[in-house]
Amino acid sequence: MEPDGSRESPPREGSSFPGPWPSSALGQAFSQILHQFAGQESRRGKARNAALRDLSAVLDAKECDQLFAGSDTSLRGMPEMLGQVAKALGKYAAPPEGPEGGGDRHSEVAEKAAAVGLLFLKLLRKVETAKNSLVCPAWKAGLRHLAGPIYIFAITHNLEQPWTSPKSQGVAGQVLALLLQVTECGSVAGFLHGENEDEKGRFTAVMGLLKPDLNKDSWKSNPATKHVFSWTLQKVTRPWLSQHLERVLPPSLLISDDYQTENKILGVHCLHHIVLNVAVLLCLLDLFPILEKALHWKGDAARPTTHCDEVLQLILMHMEPEHRLLLRRTYARNLPAFVKRLGILTVRHLKRLDRVIIGYLEVYDGPEEEARLKILEALKLLMQYTWPRVPCRLVVLLKALLKLICDVARDSSLTPESVKSALLEEATDCLILLDRCSEGQVKGLLAKIPQSCEDSKVGNYIRRVQQVSEGAPYNAT
C-alpha cells in the first residue's frame, strides 16, 4: 500500500488513539492500518492480514524515511500513533485467550508472531536510521512509545512455550536484540531499570502495559502475560526493585493463590525473588494480610496473635541489646511501619517498646541521626494509637524527651544544623502530643522550667509546648 495523500482519513470509531491523527500521507496510511485492526469481528481476520501487508508496504516506502522528522507539523502525533500500531501488532500475535487453544491454534500464533516480528525489525531499523540522522529529532519520542509493546512481544515469543516455534522464537530473539541495540542497553536488566542511576529505565512502562491483564478478572485470559511478568520480574534486582514493590507484589500474590499447581509454583517463584531483593521487613508487612486472611476476630474473645505480632516481638528482642549503629538504624527505620500496621494492638508490646524507645533516644546516632528520628516517628504513632495508656507512662517519656532536647540543643559535634533542627522539632511534637494524651499534665510539669532554664534554646522549645498546648483540643489522631 503506497502512502497516498488523496486517501481519506478513516473514521476514528473503535480506535484507542488518544489524540488528533497526523495529517500527512503517512499519518493517513497508519490510521487506515489501525482502522483495519479495529474492524468488525466478522471481518477482523481478513482485515488484520491485509493490515500486515499494508504496514509492510508503508515501512518499505521511501516516504517512511521521514517518519521521525519532528519538524513536519503534519507528523505531530506520529510517535503516539506508532505506539498504538505496536500494541495492535502485539495483540494480533498474542496466544489464544482462555484455556482453549491446542496445536492448530498455537501453530497459527507462531506464524503470526514470525510475521509481526519481521515488521517490528523493519520499524526498529527505521528508528535506528533516524537516530543516526541529524534531521529526524523525533526518534526518541517514537522509541519511547514503541519500546514497551515491542519488548512484551519479544518476551512473549522468545521463551519456549506451547504457542512458539523455532522460527517465531528466532525472530523474537532478533527483535529483542535489535531493541536493546537501538536503546543502547547492554542487557534486558539495563533496559528495564536503566543503565545508570540517572536513567529511569522502562520497567514502569512495561508494568503499565501488563497491568490490565494482571488483575483477578483478566490474568488468565492471556496465557503469556504471567510468564512475561515473571521473567521480567527476575531481571530487576536490588536496589531497583524496592521502588516497584506496590506494582509487583499484588500480581505475584494473585498468581500464587491460584488453585492450579503450575500457577502456585510460578507465583511463589515471584514472591521468593521479591523477598530476596526488597527490604524484607517492609515486604513482610505487605505479605501479612494475605497470610492472615483466615484469622477472624470474634468480639467476645481476645484478638488472636498474628504473624506481625510475632515479628515485632522478635525485632524488639533484638533491638534492645543491639549496640552496632548500622543495625540500630535498620531496626529503627522499619519500626514505624510495624506500629502503623498493628495500630492499637501495639499495646501488647508497650513495655518492651518503652525500653527500646528510651534506650535509642539516649544514644547519638551520627551526623544524620537516622535512628533517633525514626524512633521519634514511631513514638508519635505509638501515642496516637495507645493514648489511653499514655498517662501512666508520662514521667518516663517526659524525662526522655527533655533529656533529648537538652542534649541536642547543646550538641557541639559535626551534626548539621538541619538535622539538629529536625530532631528538636520532632521531640517538641512528641511533647505536645504527650500533653494532649495526658490532658494537660505536661504543661503543668513544665510550668517553672522556662524561668529557671539557663539555655535559651531549650527554654524556647518548652515555651512552644506550653503555648501550643494552651487551650488546644484533645485529638489523639
Side-chain angles (χ1 to χ4, degrees), residues 90-91 93-97 105-106 109 156-157 163 221-224:
K91 189 174 181 181
E97 294 185 0
R105 294 199 64 185
H106 285 155
V109 170
T156 297
H157 299 283
W163 57 84
S221 297
N222 184 340

Side-chain angles (χ1 to χ4, degrees), residues 21 34 83 104-105 109 114 153 163 178 196 251 262 276 323 325 327 344-345 355 408 414 431 439 444 472:
W21 297 125
L34 273 178
D104 291 342
R105 294 199 64 185
V109 170
F153 164 84
W163 57 84
L178 186 54
N196 53 62
E262 173 196 352
L276 290 178
H323 63 278
L325 289 179
L327 281 175
I344 194 172
L345 295 181
R355 295 198 299 269
V408 174
L414 297 178
L431 283 174
E439 298 181 343

Side-chain angles (χ1 to χ4, degrees), residues 111-402:
E111 291 176 9
K112 289 180 178 180
V116 168
L118 293 175
L119 292 175
F120 277 143
L121 288 173
K122 285 186 179 183
L123 195 50
L124 286 172
R125 289 188 187 111
K126 291 292 182 183
V127 177
E128 191 170 35
T129 301
K131 179 181 172 183
N132 298 325
S133 169
L134 297 177
V135 295
C136 296
W139 69 268
K140 286 186 178 180
L143 183 58
R144 186 169 63 250
H145 289 278
L146 288 170
I150 291 179
Y151 168 84
I152 291 174
F153 164 84
I155 304 306
T156 297
H157 299 283
N158 188 41
L159 306 176
E160 185 175 352
Q161 297 291 352
W163 57 84
T164 61
S165 67
K167 182 180 178 181
S168 65
Q169 285 182 263
V171 174
Q174 293 177 44
V175 171
L176 182 59
L178 186 54
L179 177 62
L180 295 180
Q181 178 180 316
V182 172
T183 54
E184 298 182 352
C185 295
S187 64
V188 172
F191 173 86
L192 292 169
H193 59 58
E195 289 288 321
N196 53 62
E197 293 182 359
D198 298 327
E199 190 180 345
K200 285 179 60 178
R202 298 165 182 86
F203 186 67
T204 301
V206 169
M207 285 302 301
L209 293 171
L210 291 176
K211 185 177 180 180
D213 292 326
L214 282 174
N215 62 57
K216 65 179 181 179
D217 298 319
S218 65
W219 73 276
K220 288 191 175 182
S221 297
N222 184 340
T225 302
K226 61 186 178 184
H227 296 289
V228 174
F229 166 71
S230 174
W231 193 88
T232 298
L233 175 63
Q234 307 300 319
K235 299 298 178 182
V236 183
T237 56
R238 66 170 66 213
W240 298 280
L241 189 59
S242 296
Q243 60 187 298
H244 302 290
L245 181 60
E246 62 183 19
R247 295 185 181 92
V248 300
L249 188 57
S252 299
L253 291 168
L254 182 65
I255 297 170
S256 68
D257 199 36
D258 191 54
Y259 67 93
Q260 292 180 310
T261 303
E262 173 196 352
N263 293 329
K264 285 182 181 293
I265 294 172
L266 187 67
V268 169
H269 189 51
C270 293
L271 291 172
H272 182 247
H273 178 79
I274 292 171
V275 170
L276 290 178
N277 290 279
V278 176
V280 176
L281 293 178
L282 295 181
C283 185
L284 283 173
L285 283 176
D286 288 307
L287 286 171
F288 285 148
I290 306 300
L291 298 173
E292 296 165 359
K293 64 182 180 182
L295 294 175
H296 299 287
W297 176 55
K298 297 179 180 179
D300 58 348
R303 286 182 186 266
T305 301
T306 65
H307 293 292
C308 193
D309 281 296
E310 294 169 2
V311 174
L312 179 57
Q313 186 176 10
L314 186 63
I315 290 171
L316 292 174
M317 185 175 69
H318 287 283
M319 282 185 79
E320 195 171 355
E322 186 57 62
H323 63 278
R324 289 166 289 187
L325 289 179
L326 188 59
L327 281 175
R328 289 169 69 93
R329 292 183 192 124
T330 301
Y331 286 133
R333 190 183 304 129
N334 292 283
L335 189 59
F338 274 84
V339 174
K340 189 177 292 186
R341 170 71 71 184
L342 279 172
I344 194 172
L345 295 181
T346 50
V347 73
R348 294 168 169 169
H349 309 276
L350 274 182
K351 288 184 178 180
R352 184 157 255 161
L353 272 167
D354 277 348
R355 295 198 299 269
V356 166
I357 287 172
I358 292 169
Y360 274 57
L361 288 180
E362 290 176 347
V363 179
Y364 172 71
D365 185 48
E368 299 303 319
E369 291 281 17
E370 182 182 358
R372 291 208 279 193
L373 284 170
K374 283 297 179 181
I375 288 295
L376 287 170
E377 181 184 341
L379 175 58
K380 284 199 292 186
L381 288 168
L382 187 64
M383 287 193 288
Q384 290 170 4
Y385 289 123
T386 65
W387 58 267
R389 299 287 294 274
V390 169
C392 63
R393 299 150 55 230
L394 170 64
V395 175
V396 175
L397 292 176
L398 180 59
K399 286 181 178 179
L401 290 168
L402 287 176

